[in-house]
Amino acid sequence: YPLYRNVDLSVRHYTVRSFVQGGAPFSGWDNFHQVLHDPGFGAALRNTLVFTLVSILFQYGIGLALAVFFNRGFRLAPTLRALFLIPWLLPLIVSASTWSWMLNSESGVVNYALHLAGAGKVDWLTSPSWALTSVIVANIWIGIPFNLVILYSGLQNIPAELYEAASLDGAGRWQQFRRITFPLLRPVSAITVLLGLIYTLKVFDLIWIMTRGGPGDSSTTLATWSYRLGFGSLLPEFGPGAAVGNILILIALAFGLLYIRVQRRQAA
């Protein structure tokens, strides 16, 4: 029903009155046309792609490195692994508020550390050059534990005998990773990246709390733009906001279909 309602909103001309009382006239593709030709669409789409792809790249890379590290097994491994789960367990509003405080231009600990190192102040959240980078860094920090948990579980299913045989053949750790770990981890890696893509595409609360999509459109994504259109003004544009939401759903669906196609090709 929510999906149907969102489609219905996107093909009708809704006002506040018609949203409550009903009777909104059918507008067809007008809302989509308005959104696609809006000057803000290009910036929102570009920011969404950069935010998603950079976040996924670093979340997966760091998560994989940590999973391999903990898979070796040592005395403090369970404790350290549990500590790495803290960013994932915290409510997003807490994480976003914490990062907002840390990156505050005047009182943040990051700028204080830069001051002690002799560097100048950086307007992390209020500069168009740094706002998107700041929310990407915060999102990477939040997403690393998810990748760590899933990839570590995948590593546990790789037989130890394979590594023992490789060691007897003279293979080093890097060769074992290339020839054994990474190839056998591909199915788990694929689902990890897919879930990360779908989750990151729709990230809203982190960005909204830290920058509200600003300054200007420098950190606006399709998710924050959809909210701003539908609820961010006294004259909400429910139709265009729903249209942006449907475009976001189609992008996520495209990634899902690509994953299914890749899986079928590998199975064949």
Side-chain angles (χ1 to χ4, degrees):
Y1 178 77
L3 290 173
Y4 160 76
R5 192 76 176 96
N6 201 60
V7 172
D8 181 69
L9 283 169
S10 66
V11 296
R12 294 183 182 275
H13 179 67
Y14 274 94
T15 61
V16 176
R17 181 175 181 179
S18 61
F19 184 80
V20 176
Q21 298 180 353
F26 182 78
S27 61
W29 299 103
D30 289 351
N31 290 321
F32 289 92
H33 184 272
Q34 176 183 336
V35 164
L36 293 174
H37 289 81
D38 190 291
F41 175 76
L45 180 62
R46 181 178 63 253
N47 291 340
T48 300
L49 294 177
V50 172
F51 177 80
T52 301
L53 297 178
V54 175
S55 294
I56 293 300
L57 177 64
F58 281 93
Q59 286 173 356
Y60 176 81
I62 299 174
L64 178 59
L66 290 173
V68 172
F69 173 71
F70 286 122
N71 193 50
R72 295 178 181 175
F74 51 93
R75 182 177 300 177
L76 294 178
T79 303
L80 293 176
R81 197 166 64 246
L83 291 175
F84 270 101
L85 293 179
I86 292 177
W88 192 29
L89 299 176
L90 287 175
L92 271 176
I93 189 172
V94 175
S95 300
S97 300
T98 302
W99 276 98
S100 295
W101 167 72
M102 291 173 58
L103 297 175
N104 184 276
S105 300
E106 304 300 330
S107 58
V109 295
V110 175
N111 272 349
Y112 181 71
L114 291 176
H115 172 71
L116 294 179
K121 181 182 72 173
V122 177
D123 296 323
W124 298 103
L125 303 177
T126 57
S127 169
S129 302
W130 287 103
L132 184 61
T133 301
S134 300
V135 295
I136 288 175
V137 170
N139 190 62
I140 290 172
W141 180 78
I142 292 171
I144 288 174
F146 171 78
N147 286 262
L148 168 60
V149 169
I150 303 299
L151 295 172
Y152 179 80
S153 300
L155 289 174
Q156 294 294 295
N157 293 323
I158 299 178
E161 293 80 5
L162 296 177
Y163 295 105
E164 294 174 0
S167 297
L168 293 175
D169 290 338
R173 288 183 175 178
W174 173 244
Q175 290 178 316
Q176 292 178 24
F177 177 81
R178 286 185 56 198
R179 303 296 183 181
I180 300 175
T181 304
F182 194 71
L184 294 180
L185 207 60
R186 280 178 183 170
V188 178
S189 297
I191 192 63
T192 303
V193 171
L194 175 65
L195 293 175
L197 279 169
I198 295 174
Y199 170 79
T200 308
L201 278 172
K202 63 184 183 64
V203 168
F204 161 76
D205 31 15
L206 176 72
I207 301 174
W208 191 257
I209 292 172
M210 291 183 65
T211 65
R212 292 188 177 273
D217 293 330
S218 59
S219 62
T220 296
T221 61
L222 292 176
T224 58
W225 191 35
S226 176
Y227 179 85
R228 186 185 297 171
L229 288 171
F231 305 100
S233 65
L234 296 175
L235 296 175
E237 300 180 80
F238 296 115
V244 175
N246 284 325
I247 293 174
L248 198 55
I249 291 174
L250 290 176
I251 294 175
L253 181 62
F255 281 117
L257 294 176
L258 178 62
Y259 167 77
I260 293 174
R261 183 175 182 180
V262 171
Q263 288 295 98
R264 287 179 176 176
R265 182 173 297 179
Q266 289 179 349

